[in-house]
Structures are given as C-alpha cells and as structure tokens.
Amino acid sequence: MRKNRHNFFNMYFTTTISITLVLFLVGLVCAIFLCANSISEELKEKVSLSLVLNDSVGQPEVERISRMLTVGAYAKSVTYISKEEALQEYITELGEDPAQFLGYNPLLASLEVALNADYAHVDSIQMIETKLKPFTGIKRIIYHQELINAIDKNVRIISWILSAFAVLMLVFSLVLINNTIRLSVYSKRFIIHTMRLVGATPWFIRAPFVRKHMLVGFVASLLALGLLAGAGYYLRQELGIAFVSVDYISLAILAAGLIAVGLFITFFSSYWAVGKYIRLKTDDLYYI
C-alpha cells in the first residue's frame, strides 16, 4: 500500500513539475511579447510634431489648434513654446544668441505635439496634416518621417517574430503536456480496461483522470506564475533591469491566460488519453 502511494505521488509530482516548466516557458515568451509591445508603445509616443506658428497667430487660434488635437485623441500632449522660450532653448543648445547680431528674435513660436501611439505612423500624420490645413496660423509642420518609418518597420518585424515564436511555444506545450499526461495514464490502462468490462460508462471512467489532471494543470499554472514573478522580481530588484512600467491589466490577462491554458490542455489531453485505452481490445494493451 505504501509503495503504491509512493508511486502515485511520484507520478503526479513528475507530471506537475513537467507541466510547470512547460507553462513557465510559455508564460516567459508571452511576458517578453508584452514587454516588447509596451516598449514599442513608449517609442511611438516619443514621436512628435512641431507646428511652427506665424507671427500673426493669436492665442484663440493656438487654443483651437490644441483643442482639435487633444479632443480628436491624436495627441497625448500639446505644449506651446513662445518665441522667447524658443530663443532661450537655442542659446542653451548652441551657445549663441542670434538676436544680438540680427537685432531681433528670428525664431517663431511653435506647438510641440506628442502623438498617441495609435497615430505615430506616417499615414496617420498625413491625415492629421490634412485636418490642420484650415488653420492659417500654422506656417509649417515638421516631423522626422525617416525615423517614424524605421520605428514602424522594426516594431512590425519584432512583433511578427515574437508572435511566431509564441505560437510555436504553444504548439510545443500542447505536444509535451499531452505526452506527459499520456504517460501518466498509460500505467492505469489495465484499470481503465477492467472498468470498461464491468460496464462503466466512458465518462465515468474519464472523470477521475480528468479531475486529477486538471488539478495538476491548475497547480502547475500557479507554480509557473510564481516562477515568472520570481524571475521578474530578480531582474528588477537584484539586477536592476526594469524593462517597462508595470501594466497590471496586462499581467492579470497573462496570469488568467496561463491558468486557462493549463486547464484547457490537461482537460483535453486526459480526456483523449483515457479514451484511447477505453477503445483498445484486451490483447492490444500488451503491445503499446
């Protein structure tokens, strides 16, 4: 009896550890994907437009432009820089005062527009330019098209690579967890066959295996989340690596998704694995 309990414990302990490691790798890839996505959002929100204003523009016109950009959700922030502030920035950066030898301040006031990430694309900026054309107080619009194209292209490539890697990891996890559960059910194949011979229904036979393996999947998911939390804490606190600001909603979705994957895979893997032995004939049990 003690030996059977020991073997039972070892079987489910090994299954739990195996599923935990697989789910940890899946969660790690998903966490990297979330970090990359958050970094790309931050990069896009650093894209800005400079709206150079005419000398004749009045404050009501400036407020109308700012209101159009913020109400339309195009801009994260709009900052007004006066002629005097622009001159001070020029002097600070270059160490020269053009007003001294020209006799007047040649710089113009401007609006510095920090775009929302959804509009940090050349097509979106061109659309914003079209909407700004009716405002006669704007002399010209300046933005770095090459930089925006480079950011957009690199973010798109990285997203595709990480998405493909995440899909591959999910497929591998399905195969590995399915094989792990099939091995654990394999040792019970004669018990399954005996239950079928005495008239037990397929679901009656499956139910204990499904419940136990779903519990294993749930525990493994929690352990995998604990490993992910420990890895994140170590990177942030011990090594000083803080990739992005914490997004609790994304972390909650990741945690819920990982638990759902653990339950989903263990349910169907145990369901199919037991079903295989229910359908086998007595002689076939000795040759698998």
Side-chain angles (χ1 to χ4, degrees):
M1 180 67 71
R2 184 176 298 176
K3 183 177 180 180
N4 289 336
R5 288 181 179 177
H6 182 70
N7 291 336
F8 177 84
F9 175 79
N10 283 341
M11 180 181 67
Y12 281 101
F13 177 78
T14 303
T15 303
T16 302
I17 295 302
S18 299
I19 296 175
T20 297
L21 294 176
V22 173
L23 291 177
F24 171 71
L25 291 176
V26 173
L28 188 62
V29 173
C30 292
I32 293 172
F33 182 82
L34 289 176
C35 288
N37 186 60
S38 183
I39 291 172
S40 71
E41 293 289 313
E42 290 186 7
L43 285 175
K44 288 178 180 179
E45 288 183 352
K46 293 184 183 298
V47 173
S48 62
L49 300 179
S50 292
L51 309 183
V52 182
L53 305 174
N54 291 313
D55 272 334
S56 59
V57 69
Q59 191 61 31
E61 178 81 350
V62 173
E63 292 177 357
R64 283 204 308 123
I65 296 171
S66 300
R67 190 162 52 251
M68 188 277 288
L69 291 168
T70 52
V71 171
Y74 306 125
K76 187 177 181 181
S77 64
V78 180
T79 305
Y80 175 73
I81 299 178
S82 65
K83 290 169 61 71
E84 293 72 21
E85 290 172 335
L87 180 62
Q88 288 301 318
E89 287 184 9
Y90 185 93
I91 294 171
T92 301
E93 291 180 3
L94 300 180
E96 297 179 356
D97 185 357
Q100 287 186 348
F101 55 88
L102 291 176
Y104 67 95
N105 181 2
L107 302 179
L108 297 172
S110 64
L111 287 173
E112 294 300 318
V113 183
L115 295 173
N116 280 319
D118 292 339
Y119 294 94
H121 308 281
V122 173
D123 293 341
S124 299
I125 292 173
Q126 290 174 349
M127 179 269 293
I128 295 171
E129 280 188 287
T130 302
K131 290 183 178 292
L132 290 172
K133 280 184 179 179
F135 295 98
T136 56
I138 300 175
K139 185 178 182 70
R140 64 180 178 273
I141 300 174
I142 301 173
Y143 63 93
H144 301 287
Q145 183 173 343
E146 294 80 8
L147 176 62
I148 296 170
N149 284 332
I151 292 175
D152 195 34
K153 179 182 178 181
N154 291 331
V155 166
R156 192 163 54 246
I157 291 172
I158 292 172
S159 297
W160 276 109
I161 292 173
L162 288 176
S163 297
F165 194 55
V167 171
L168 284 175
M169 282 300 303
L170 186 59
V171 172
F172 289 151
S173 69
L174 286 168
V175 174
L176 290 173
I177 293 175
N178 181 63
N179 288 338
T180 301
I181 291 175
R182 287 182 65 180
L183 286 173
S184 68
V185 174
Y186 174 80
S187 62
K188 304 291 184 181
R189 65 191 186 282
F190 290 106
I191 296 175
I192 293 171
H193 185 66
T194 301
M195 292 175 69
R196 184 176 68 85
L197 291 177
V198 298
T201 62
W203 176 246
F204 183 85
I205 299 172
R206 283 187 172 106
F209 292 94
V210 169
R211 284 196 299 267
K212 288 175 183 176
H213 284 101
M214 286 188 70
L215 179 60
V216 167
F218 180 73
V219 172
S221 300
L222 296 181
L223 291 175
L225 288 173
L227 290 175
L228 287 171
Y233 177 84
Y234 182 78
L235 289 174
R236 183 179 291 271
Q237 300 297 330
E238 301 299 327
L239 299 182
I241 301 174
F243 295 105
V244 288
S245 58
V246 176
D247 182 355
Y248 291 105
I249 295 177
S250 297
L251 292 178
I253 293 173
L254 174 62
L258 202 62
I259 292 173
V261 168
L263 293 175
F264 176 83
I265 296 176
T266 50
F267 172 82
F268 283 101
S269 294
S270 57
Y271 186 89
W272 290 328
V274 175
K276 174 185 177 181
Y277 297 115
I278 291 175
R279 294 187 296 269
L280 285 177
K281 296 179 180 179
T282 304
D283 294 339
D284 295 333
L285 294 173
Y286 296 95
Y287 299 104
I288 57 175

